[in-house]
Amino acid sequence: MKILKYIICNSNIPVLFSKEIVHDEFSLKVKSAGFLIVRFDNQLNKFKAKCFGESSSLKIKANPLEDEQLIEIYLNEQFFSFTNVDTKIENATPNY
């Protein structure tokens, strides 16, 4: 399990990054920030997020329920979709 950091911009776009980076290195308008654990649920075939904590450098707390929902939507719908993955894999032509 790897813990990441995140911020949610005022435009509701999540930014996920390494815990070695300080939250205030981002010069964005931020509405919430904290820590994040991402896991893949094999039964649901979706990423699940667990948000917690706060950014001490930004002095902004996480909003866990809303942040988790925004990050899950981003990961499952905006970032990557599993729709027709099996079909795409089956129809792929090897490059050898």
Side-chain angles (χ1 to χ4, degrees):
M1 172 176 59
K2 184 171 185 170
I3 297 175
L4 302 171
K5 287 184 176 180
Y6 76 94
I7 57 174
I8 303 291
C9 302
N10 283 344
S11 56
N12 284 335
I13 297 172
V15 178
L16 314 178
F17 52 96
S18 169
K19 65 181 181 178
E20 280 73 36
I21 298 172
V22 180
H23 284 99
D24 70 358
E25 287 187 35
F26 293 91
S27 59
L28 302 169
K29 293 184 179 183
V30 177
K31 69 182 216 176
S32 61
F35 294 87
L36 163 77
I37 297 171
V38 176
R39 67 179 180 82
F40 187 77
D41 186 318
N42 288 319
Q43 291 180 338
L44 296 174
N45 212 24
K46 291 187 175 206
F47 289 101
K48 300 295 288 177
K50 177 68 177 164
C51 298
F52 58 96
E54 64 185 66
S55 165
S56 57
S57 62
L58 292 174
K59 297 177 178 55
I60 297 175
K61 292 184 178 183
N63 185 355
L65 296 178
E66 184 179 332
D67 295 351
E68 288 165 8
Q69 184 179 23
L70 287 168
I71 291 168
E72 288 173 7
I73 288 169
Y74 176 76
L75 291 175
N76 292 307
E77 297 174 17
Q78 306 273 330
F79 179 69
F80 190 81
S81 172
F82 287 95
T83 306
N84 300 321
V85 169
D86 292 334
T87 304
K88 290 176 186 174
I89 292 170
E90 289 171 10
N91 295 330
T93 305
N95 292 330
Y96 22 74

